[in-house]
Amino acid sequence: AFQYYMYDDEGAYAYASWRISVGEMPYRDFLTPQMPVFLYWGGLIVHFLGRSFVALRVTTMLVMLLTAALLYLTNRELLGRPVAFLSLGFFLFEANVFHNARYFRPEAYMLLFQVAALYCFVLGEKRNRLPYIALTGALFGLATLSKLFGMLPWGGCGAYLLYAWWRERRTWRQTLRELLALGLPMVFIV
């Protein structure tokens, strides 16, 4: 199953990763349709593990398993162990997750950074720690640079902070600090 491309996209991504692994720059030396974090990650894989679809695909599978572990931790923090374990099962057996985990495509990497960001956001809100919120913004920046849809949950976290300000009667200064901690690292990275 490793000898076939998924459409022509996977072959183009593998080609771009190979070109990066030999020192070329995306967008300057060759045309590529993807964001740089995904391509640089692919370049590292090719540099260290060789020009192999097996290596590219296996690392994508490992990224999805790491995403599943982070999803479990997030749900455990929010809803407890039984619900977290159930959500882990639903995630791993979802057809789209299985599909995206099998090929070298940017969706798996974007999802990893998004779920890691949501985990940090939950920790920051539960522990009232601003550095977690700042790390959330940075991780959403990496998610966005993996695929542009990576920014969508970032907007949801900002909307949550505004809702929490209204619902919990937080001070506007605290909310402003949280919004800046969420927004500035993301904007800086992107």
Side-chain angles (χ1 to χ4, degrees), residues 22-55:
V22 295
E24 294 188 37
M25 299 288 295
Y27 315 111
R28 188 182 75 189
D29 296 342
F30 59 95
L31 182 64
T32 179
Q34 285 305 328
M35 301 300 286
V37 167
F38 167 66
L39 294 174
Y40 283 124
W41 178 253
L44 279 174
I45 294 168
V46 171
H47 178 75
F48 288 110
L49 301 176
R51 294 182 303 180
S52 163
F53 274 106
V54 174

Side-chain angles (χ1 to χ4, degrees), residues 97-115:
V97 171
F98 180 74
H99 177 75
N100 285 313
R102 293 174 28 214
Y103 301 103
F104 181 65
R105 298 192 50 190
E107 287 81 1
Y109 300 91
M110 173 194 70
L111 191 60
L112 171 68
F113 290 122
Q114 286 177 329
V115 173

Side-chain angles (χ1 to χ4, degrees), residues 6-141:
M6 178 191 156
Y7 313 115
D8 60 345
D9 291 348
E10 189 181 25
Y13 303 154
Y15 174 73
S17 297
W18 167 67
R19 298 277 302 261
I20 290 170
S21 77
V22 295
E24 294 188 37
M25 299 288 295
Y27 315 111
R28 188 182 75 189
D29 296 342
F30 59 95
L31 182 64
T32 179
Q34 285 305 328
M35 301 300 286
V37 167
F38 167 66
L39 294 174
Y40 283 124
W41 178 253
L44 279 174
I45 294 168
V46 171
H47 178 75
F48 288 110
L49 301 176
R51 294 182 303 180
S52 163
F53 274 106
V54 174
L56 290 170
R57 289 178 176 179
V58 167
T59 41
T60 302
M61 290 177 207
L62 294 173
V63 162
M64 286 303 267
L65 290 174
L66 180 58
T67 302
L70 287 168
L71 180 69
Y72 171 82
L73 293 173
T74 303
N75 286 325
R76 187 186 71 187
E77 195 73 34
L78 288 171
L79 305 165
R81 288 182 194 272
V83 173
F85 188 71
L86 186 63
S87 71
L88 179 63
F90 283 132
F91 178 79
L92 289 174
F93 292 109
E94 162 60 35
N96 289 318
V97 171
F98 180 74
H99 177 75
N100 285 313
R102 293 174 28 214
Y103 301 103
F104 181 65
R105 298 192 50 190
E107 287 81 1
Y109 300 91
M110 173 194 70
L111 191 60
L112 171 68
F113 290 122
Q114 286 177 329
V115 173
L118 290 173
Y119 180 56
C120 289
F121 186 76
V122 166
L123 291 177
E125 277 295 295
K126 287 189 84 174
R127 292 172 173 81
N128 199 18
R129 306 271 186 191
L130 213 51
Y132 282 114
I133 305 296
L135 183 57
T136 298
L139 287 167
F140 277 133

